[in-house]
Amino acid sequence: DGGITQSPKYLFRKEGQNVTLSCEQNLNHDAMYWYRQDPGQGLRLIYYSQIVNDFQKGDIAEGYSVSREKKESFPLTVTSAQKNPTAFYLCASSIPRGLFTEAFFGQGTRLTVV
Amino acid sequence: AQKVTQAQTEISVVEKEDVTLDCVYETRDTTYYLFWYKQPPSGELVFLIRRNSFDEQNEISGRYSWNFQKSTSSFNFTITASQVVDSAVYFCALIKAAGNKLTFGGGTRVLVKP
């Protein structure tokens, strides 16, 4: 079945550590996105990529980094520079601009700083 | 800049009651798309509907209906005869045509009590 797989589902990080969240899709979508969701709030865009080897900052990119070496994969690294990383992270994919119909979402990764 | 406002943070109803979720948006673009997504407790976002700015026809899908009024920049969502399974957070979102970033509202949590 086609879809988006995020792993792990739960992640615990010690302060000062970098962690990487995985996002893989087999929908053959060119565009991929990372969103952050805080309790009781909407989704805020961290980074997005329209094509392999290219990505752009979203609204809250500070303290995060991404790579897009393969079409299927868009990993997100939460660095120690991110002061308040505890949140729910959602990855999404879509066909690119001009053809956008909907974004498909993964099941999310819940990151907790301990 | 685009903005989506969902003024209701939480709505509680008893099963079989109707519930209407409000969504008001701001955009300078003349062509855009509006969406509703459902986020059940499992966390992933489930696509419900997409509406383009030139189509103001209301839509009904089973117990769900949507009222798009361009004159008031609103795209409201009604669940008729609510059921416990409708309990979730619902998000309204906006993207401009040929755009690549969805702008989300803050979400409305719906709690349907048996």
Side-chain angles (χ1 to χ4, degrees):
Chain A
D1 289 336
I4 300 178
T5 302
Q6 289 187 241
S7 61
K9 191 171 182 179
Y10 299 96
L11 187 58
F12 297 90
R13 189 195 92 170
K14 293 182 180 179
E15 287 192 28
Q17 280 185 338
N18 292 353
V19 290
T20 297
L21 283 59
S22 171
C23 178
E24 303 277 332
Q25 55 100 358
N26 60 5
L27 299 168
N28 200 32
H29 286 166
D30 287 307
M32 297 187 74
Y33 313 80
W34 274 105
Y35 286 89
R36 169 178 170 144
Q37 184 179 17
D38 292 286
Q41 298 190 30
L43 280 69
R44 292 183 290 169
L45 184 64
I46 305 173
Y47 268 98
Y48 63 101
S49 167
Q50 294 294 300
I51 197 168
V52 174
N53 292 323
D54 185 52
F55 48 83
Q56 288 80 41
K57 293 181 179 180
D59 301 317
I60 56 166
E62 185 175 351
Y64 299 97
S65 65
V66 294
S67 63
R68 187 83 187 277
E69 297 176 1
K70 297 187 300 182
K71 187 175 184 178
E72 306 79 31
S73 178
F74 191 40
L76 173 73
T77 296
V78 184
T79 75
S80 57
Q82 170 51 236
K83 297 306 178 188
N84 185 22
T86 295
F88 187 57
Y89 292 86
L90 281 160
C91 178
S93 72
S94 71
I95 53 178
R97 71 169 71 193
L99 301 172
F100 190 95
T101 53
E102 63 179 275
F104 294 80
F105 286 83
Q107 293 201 320
T109 293
R110 192 168 299 279
L111 174 63
T112 303
V113 173
V114 296
Chain B
Q2 298 174 330
K3 185 178 180 181
V4 178
T5 301
Q6 295 179 251
Q8 306 147 307
T9 54
E10 185 166 325
I11 301 174
S12 182
V13 296
V14 177
E15 208 169 17
K16 297 185 183 177
E17 288 184 343
D18 298 347
V19 56
T20 295
L21 284 61
D22 298 331
C23 173
V24 175
Y25 62 92
E26 298 175 25
T27 181
R28 293 181 180 178
D29 298 291
T30 56
T31 305
Y32 50 88
Y33 297 97
L34 294 162
F35 299 80
W36 276 96
Y37 281 88
K38 175 182 180 179
Q39 185 179 41
S42 54
E44 81 279 16
L45 266 69
V46 178
F47 168 79
L48 295 179
I49 189 171
R50 166 180 174 258
R51 171 69 69 216
N52 75 57
S53 53
F54 292 108
D55 182 2
E56 292 193 63
Q57 196 169 21
N58 291 333
E59 182 158 340
I60 298 174
S61 176
R63 296 183 297 107
Y64 295 169
S65 62
W66 291 269
N67 181 358
F68 176 32
Q69 293 195 342
K70 204 168 180 178
S71 60
T72 56
S73 297
S74 66
F75 186 42
N76 296 339
F77 172 34
T78 297
I79 303 173
T80 302
S82 60
Q83 299 176 3
V84 173
V85 293
D86 296 326
S87 297
V89 181
Y90 293 85
F91 289 99
C92 181
L94 166 72
I95 188 170
K96 64 180 181 181
N100 50 25
K101 295 192 294 181
L102 271 172
T103 299
F104 284 86
T108 298
R109 180 176 300 277
V110 174
L111 177 61
V112 182
K113 300 177 182 177

